[in-house]
Amino acid sequence: MTLTLIDRTRRTDAAPGKDDVDAGAAPEKTPDAAPRRALGREADGLAVASFVLGLVGLLVFNIVLGPMAIVMALLALTRHTRRRGRAFLGLALGAADLAVLAAVVTANGTVAWSIGG
């Protein structure tokens, strides 16, 4: 495996023979590109976490994982995630967790329940 470094300090529009770019200078960056990229990754992570928590919450700890999935999905959607479908699935699964909890509490009269019966 080979790692190739790219020198972005040279300008392609400069005339040949004129090298007015300092070789030790750092390339220019937009000031808010890195925070925006980090915020996008965080929102994508929230969408995935929401989906996973909603899915696991259907089986165990739905009283805790359901609301967590809903909150994470809403945070991901407000932060404009690229994984909108996954965030909506996390939102739906979080609501389904609470619906399962309500059905079990209504049927058994208690919050504790087991899969085996």
Side-chain angles (χ1 to χ4, degrees):
M1 185 159 124
T2 306
L3 178 65
T4 305
L5 298 175
I6 300 172
D7 183 18
R8 295 183 186 261
T9 58
R10 294 188 181 193
R11 294 186 346 191
T12 56
D13 60 342
K18 287 188 176 181
D19 199 14
D20 60 346
V21 177
D22 185 18
E28 294 182 21
K29 295 180 182 176
T30 57
D32 60 341
R36 189 178 306 150
R37 193 175 324 127
L39 186 63
R41 280 193 207 139
E42 182 181 321
D44 292 346
L46 283 171
V48 171
S50 167
F51 173 72
V52 170
L53 289 177
L55 197 60
V56 172
L58 287 174
L59 301 175
V60 292
F61 297 123
N62 50 6
I63 195 167
V64 175
L65 297 181
M68 285 177 61
I70 291 171
V71 168
M72 286 185 177
L74 291 175
L75 280 173
L77 289 171
T78 57
R79 293 181 182 179
H80 304 291
T81 181
R82 290 177 293 181
R83 299 177 185 254
R84 292 182 56 83
R86 190 133 326 144
F88 281 123
L89 279 173
L91 185 64
L93 286 170
D97 291 346
L98 296 179
V100 166
L101 177 67
V104 169
V105 167
T106 303
N108 291 345
T110 181
V111 177
W113 62 283
S114 65
I115 296 173

